[in-house]
């Protein structure tokens, strides 16, 4: 279960770098000048959306397994597969409802936070590169 929750971190960085390189190349090819923070803001928002789209089902399953109602006294917690099946059954086998309930609220927090986080990351990286070449 813990391994499944680590996959989005790789997706997060890969999608950020891919989108940053793509937007930079497109802007350069078209002669578009952007502010220093435009591309990191945009790409950070994109990266958060992609990473959470990949990782949200694992987070839903983990939360359900850890919920006190999922574990009866003395019994082992339910497996990942059993929990996924239960979620699907409870949603009448609508996988979007089972695994993406609350996704919009998650993005409402994650998108701005990650957009700003990557601006800070790029500024810090630039400062360090200029200070310690």
């Amino acid at each position: 279960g813990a391994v499944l929750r680590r996959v989005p971190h790789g997706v997060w960085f890969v999608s950020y770098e891919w989108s940053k390189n793509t937007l930079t190349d497109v802007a350069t090819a078209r002669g578009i000048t952007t502010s220093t923070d435009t591309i990191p803001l945009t790409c950070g928002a994109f990266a958060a959306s992609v990473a959470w789209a990949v990782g949200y089902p694992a987070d839903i399953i983990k939360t359900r397994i850890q919920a006190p109602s999922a574990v009866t006294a003395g019994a082992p917690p339910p497996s990942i597969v059993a929990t996924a099946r239960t979620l699907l059954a409870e949603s009448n086998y609508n996988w979007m409802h089972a695994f993406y309930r609350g996704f919009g609220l998650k993005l409402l927090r994650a998108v701005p936070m990650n957009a700003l986080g990557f601006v800070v990351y790029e500024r810090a990286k630039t400062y360090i590169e200029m200070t310690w070449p």
Side-chain angles (χ1 to χ4, degrees):
V3 172
L4 290 177
R5 293 202 60 236
R6 297 294 172 233
V7 171
H9 295 291
V11 171
W12 186 51
F13 285 108
V14 169
S15 61
Y16 174 74
E17 286 297 324
W18 174 83
S19 61
K20 182 179 85 168
N21 292 336
T22 301
L23 279 181
T24 302
D25 291 348
V26 167
T28 302
R30 294 184 180 177
I32 300 170
T33 305
T34 63
S35 75
T36 306
D37 297 333
T38 302
I39 290 179
L41 275 170
T42 305
C43 298
F46 173 76
S49 301
V50 172
W52 275 110
V54 169
Y56 200 71
D59 198 55
I60 291 288
I61 291 169
K62 178 226 29 129
T63 300
R64 177 60 74 92
I65 289 171
Q66 291 177 340
S69 62
V71 181
T72 52
S79 71
I80 292 170
V81 173
T83 303
R85 286 182 180 151
T86 299
L87 286 164
L88 277 169
E90 289 174 359
S91 68
N92 293 323
Y93 298 93
N94 178 334
W95 63 272
M96 285 294 288
H97 184 69
F99 299 116
Y100 286 93
R101 192 175 336 166
F103 186 62
L105 290 174
K106 176 60 80 176
L107 291 182
L108 199 60
R109 179 195 68 83
V111 167
M113 184 186 78
N114 284 274
L116 291 173
F118 276 110
V119 168
V120 171
Y121 163 76
E122 291 293 345
R123 285 185 178 196
K125 185 174 116 181
T126 299
Y127 174 79
I128 290 169
E129 289 170 346
M130 291 173 62
T131 306
W132 296 290

PDB file of all heavy atoms in Angstrom, residues 121-133:
ATOM      1  N   TYR A 121      10.636  26.816  -5.771  1.00  0.00           N
ATOM      2  CA  TYR A 121      11.700  25.893  -6.164  1.00  0.00           C
ATOM      3  C   TYR A 121      12.570  26.496  -7.265  1.00  0.00           C
ATOM      4  O   TYR A 121      13.793  26.489  -7.171  1.00  0.00           O
ATOM      5  CB  TYR A 121      11.081  24.571  -6.630  1.00  0.00           C
ATOM      6  CG  TYR A 121      12.020  23.696  -7.421  1.00  0.00           C
ATOM      7  CD1 TYR A 121      13.022  22.973  -6.787  1.00  0.00           C
ATOM      8  CD2 TYR A 121      11.907  23.606  -8.809  1.00  0.00           C
ATOM      9  CE1 TYR A 121      13.893  22.173  -7.513  1.00  0.00           C
ATOM     10  CE2 TYR A 121      12.769  22.811  -9.543  1.00  0.00           C
ATOM     11  CZ  TYR A 121      13.764  22.096  -8.891  1.00  0.00           C
ATOM     12  OH  TYR A 121      14.623  21.319  -9.619  1.00  0.00           O
ATOM     13  N   GLU A 122      11.943  27.041  -8.318  1.00  0.00           N
ATOM     14  CA  GLU A 122      12.704  27.607  -9.442  1.00  0.00           C
ATOM     15  C   GLU A 122      13.495  28.839  -9.011  1.00  0.00           C
ATOM     16  O   GLU A 122      14.635  29.028  -9.435  1.00  0.00           O
ATOM     17  CB  GLU A 122      11.783  27.947 -10.614  1.00  0.00           C
ATOM     18  CG  GLU A 122      11.184  26.739 -11.310  1.00  0.00           C
ATOM     19  CD  GLU A 122      12.202  25.870 -12.045  1.00  0.00           C
ATOM     20  OE1 GLU A 122      13.349  26.297 -12.275  1.00  0.00           O
ATOM     21  OE2 GLU A 122      11.832  24.731 -12.391  1.00  0.00           O
ATOM     22  N   ARG A 123      12.907  29.670  -8.175  1.00  0.00           N
ATOM     23  CA  ARG A 123      13.624  30.855  -7.692  1.00  0.00           C
ATOM     24  C   ARG A 123      14.813  30.455  -6.819  1.00  0.00           C
ATOM     25  O   ARG A 123      15.894  31.033  -6.938  1.00  0.00           O
ATOM     26  CB  ARG A 123      12.689  31.774  -6.928  1.00  0.00           C
ATOM     27  CG  ARG A 123      11.756  32.539  -7.832  1.00  0.00           C
ATOM     28  CD  ARG A 123      10.947  33.518  -7.041  1.00  0.00           C
ATOM     29  NE  ARG A 123      10.080  34.299  -7.913  1.00  0.00           N
ATOM     30  CZ  ARG A 123       9.504  35.411  -7.535  1.00  0.00           C
ATOM     31  NH1 ARG A 123       9.691  35.888  -6.322  1.00  0.00           N
ATOM     32  NH2 ARG A 123       8.721  36.065  -8.369  1.00  0.00           N
ATOM     33  N   ALA A 124      14.611  29.481  -5.932  1.00  0.00           N
ATOM     34  CA  ALA A 124      15.706  29.020  -5.078  1.00  0.00           C
ATOM     35  C   ALA A 124      16.809  28.388  -5.916  1.00  0.00           C
ATOM     36  O   ALA A 124      18.003  28.627  -5.677  1.00  0.00           O
ATOM     37  CB  ALA A 124      15.185  28.023  -4.043  1.00  0.00           C
ATOM     38  N   LYS A 125      16.425  27.603  -6.900  1.00  0.00           N
ATOM     39  CA  LYS A 125      17.398  26.965  -7.783  1.00  0.00           C
ATOM     40  C   LYS A 125      18.214  28.023  -8.530  1.00  0.00           C
ATOM     41  O   LYS A 125      19.450  27.925  -8.604  1.00  0.00           O
ATOM     42  CB  LYS A 125      16.668  26.053  -8.776  1.00  0.00           C
ATOM     43  CG  LYS A 125      17.581  25.247  -9.662  1.00  0.00           C
ATOM     44  CD  LYS A 125      16.747  24.276 -10.493  1.00  0.00           C
ATOM     45  CE  LYS A 125      16.912  24.652 -11.934  1.00  0.00           C
ATOM     46  NZ  LYS A 125      16.160  23.831 -12.857  1.00  0.00           N
ATOM     47  N   THR A 126      17.549  29.051  -9.051  1.00  0.00           N
ATOM     48  CA  THR A 126      18.236  30.125  -9.761  1.00  0.00           C
ATOM     49  C   THR A 126      19.187  30.863  -8.831  1.00  0.00           C
ATOM     50  O   THR A 126      20.333  31.146  -9.189  1.00  0.00           O
ATOM     51  CB  THR A 126      17.214  31.110 -10.366  1.00  0.00           C
ATOM     52  OG1 THR A 126      16.392  30.397 -11.284  1.00  0.00           O
ATOM     53  CG2 THR A 126      17.901  32.264 -11.079  1.00  0.00           C
ATOM     54  N   TYR A 127      18.733  31.164  -7.615  1.00  0.00           N
ATOM     55  CA  TYR A 127      19.572  31.861  -6.635  1.00  0.00           C
ATOM     56  C   TYR A 127      20.816  31.048  -6.310  1.00  0.00           C
ATOM     57  O   TYR A 127      21.936  31.575  -6.284  1.00  0.00           O
ATOM     58  CB  TYR A 127      18.769  32.151  -5.369  1.00  0.00           C
ATOM     59  CG  TYR A 127      19.608  32.746  -4.269  1.00  0.00           C
ATOM     60  CD1 TYR A 127      19.949  34.093  -4.299  1.00  0.00           C
ATOM     61  CD2 TYR A 127      20.069  31.969  -3.216  1.00  0.00           C
ATOM     62  CE1 TYR A 127      20.734  34.654  -3.302  1.00  0.00           C
ATOM     63  CE2 TYR A 127      20.853  32.505  -2.217  1.00  0.00           C
ATOM     64  CZ  TYR A 127      21.182  33.852  -2.252  1.00  0.00           C
ATOM     65  OH  TYR A 127      21.973  34.391  -1.270  1.00  0.00           O
ATOM     66  N   ILE A 128      20.624  29.772  -6.074  1.00  0.00           N
ATOM     67  CA  ILE A 128      21.765  28.899  -5.723  1.00  0.00           C
ATOM     68  C   ILE A 128      22.739  28.798  -6.890  1.00  0.00           C
ATOM     69  O   ILE A 128      23.952  28.876  -6.703  1.00  0.00           O
ATOM     70  CB  ILE A 128      21.259  27.492  -5.278  1.00  0.00           C
ATOM     71  CG1 ILE A 128      20.577  27.609  -3.927  1.00  0.00           C
ATOM     72  CG2 ILE A 128      22.393  26.493  -5.252  1.00  0.00           C
ATOM     73  CD1 ILE A 128      19.811  26.386  -3.513  1.00  0.00           C
ATOM     74  N   GLU A 129      22.209  28.654  -8.105  1.00  0.00           N
ATOM     75  CA  GLU A 129      23.087  28.564  -9.281  1.00  0.00           C
ATOM     76  C   GLU A 129      23.878  29.859  -9.499  1.00  0.00           C
ATOM     77  O   GLU A 129      25.014  29.823  -9.946  1.00  0.00           O
ATOM     78  CB  GLU A 129      22.263  28.218 -10.532  1.00  0.00           C
ATOM     79  CG  GLU A 129      21.754  26.782 -10.535  1.00  0.00           C
ATOM     80  CD  GLU A 129      20.748  26.505 -11.634  1.00  0.00           C
ATOM     81  OE1 GLU A 129      20.210  27.465 -12.251  1.00  0.00           O
ATOM     82  OE2 GLU A 129      20.478  25.310 -11.877  1.00  0.00           O
ATOM     83  N   MET A 130      23.261  31.016  -9.203  1.00  0.00           N
ATOM     84  CA  MET A 130      23.941  32.291  -9.365  1.00  0.00           C
ATOM     85  C   MET A 130      24.943  32.558  -8.242  1.00  0.00           C
ATOM     86  O   MET A 130      25.980  33.164  -8.447  1.00  0.00           O
ATOM     87  CB  MET A 130      22.933  33.425  -9.446  1.00  0.00           C
ATOM     88  CG  MET A 130      22.107  33.399 -10.722  1.00  0.00           C
ATOM     89  SD  MET A 130      20.776  34.609 -10.749  1.00  0.00           S
ATOM     90  CE  MET A 130      21.679  36.134 -10.638  1.00  0.00           C
ATOM     91  N   THR A 131      24.618  32.088  -7.042  1.00  0.00           N
ATOM     92  CA  THR A 131      25.467  32.331  -5.880  1.00  0.00           C
ATOM     93  C   THR A 131      26.656  31.383  -5.828  1.00  0.00           C
ATOM     94  O   THR A 131      27.761  31.791  -5.500  1.00  0.00           O
ATOM     95  CB  THR A 131      24.638  32.192  -4.587  1.00  0.00           C
ATOM     96  OG1 THR A 131      23.494  33.047  -4.685  1.00  0.00           O
ATOM     97  CG2 THR A 131      25.445  32.554  -3.376  1.00  0.00           C
ATOM     98  N   TRP A 132      26.425  30.116  -6.150  1.00  0.00           N
ATOM     99  CA  TRP A 132      27.480  29.102  -6.118  1.00  0.00           C
ATOM    100  C   TRP A 132      27.596  28.432  -7.480  1.00  0.00           C
ATOM    101  O   TRP A 132      27.144  27.300  -7.648  1.00  0.00           O
ATOM    102  CB  TRP A 132      27.177  28.055  -5.045  1.00  0.00           C
ATOM    103  CG  TRP A 132      27.171  28.620  -3.668  1.00  0.00           C
ATOM    104  CD1 TRP A 132      28.239  29.063  -2.948  1.00  0.00           C
ATOM    105  CD2 TRP A 132      26.029  28.787  -2.816  1.00  0.00           C
ATOM    106  NE1 TRP A 132      27.827  29.498  -1.723  1.00  0.00           N
ATOM    107  CE2 TRP A 132      26.473  29.342  -1.627  1.00  0.00           C
ATOM    108  CE3 TRP A 132      24.668  28.544  -2.978  1.00  0.00           C
ATOM    109  CZ2 TRP A 132      25.624  29.647  -0.573  1.00  0.00           C
ATOM    110  CZ3 TRP A 132      23.811  28.850  -1.930  1.00  0.00           C
ATOM    111  CH2 TRP A 132      24.296  29.383  -0.752  1.00  0.00           C
ATOM    112  N   PRO A 133      28.246  29.107  -8.419  1.00  0.00           N
ATOM    113  CA  PRO A 133      28.317  28.533  -9.783  1.00  0.00           C
ATOM    114  C   PRO A 133      29.126  27.264  -9.898  1.00  0.00           C
ATOM    115  O   PRO A 133      29.853  26.789  -9.212  1.00  0.00           O
ATOM    116  CB  PRO A 133      28.958  29.629 -10.614  1.00  0.00           C
ATOM    117  CG  PRO A 133      29.434  30.669  -9.689  1.00  0.00           C
ATOM    118  CD  PRO A 133      28.849  30.395  -8.330  1.00  0.00           C
TER     119      PRO A 133
END
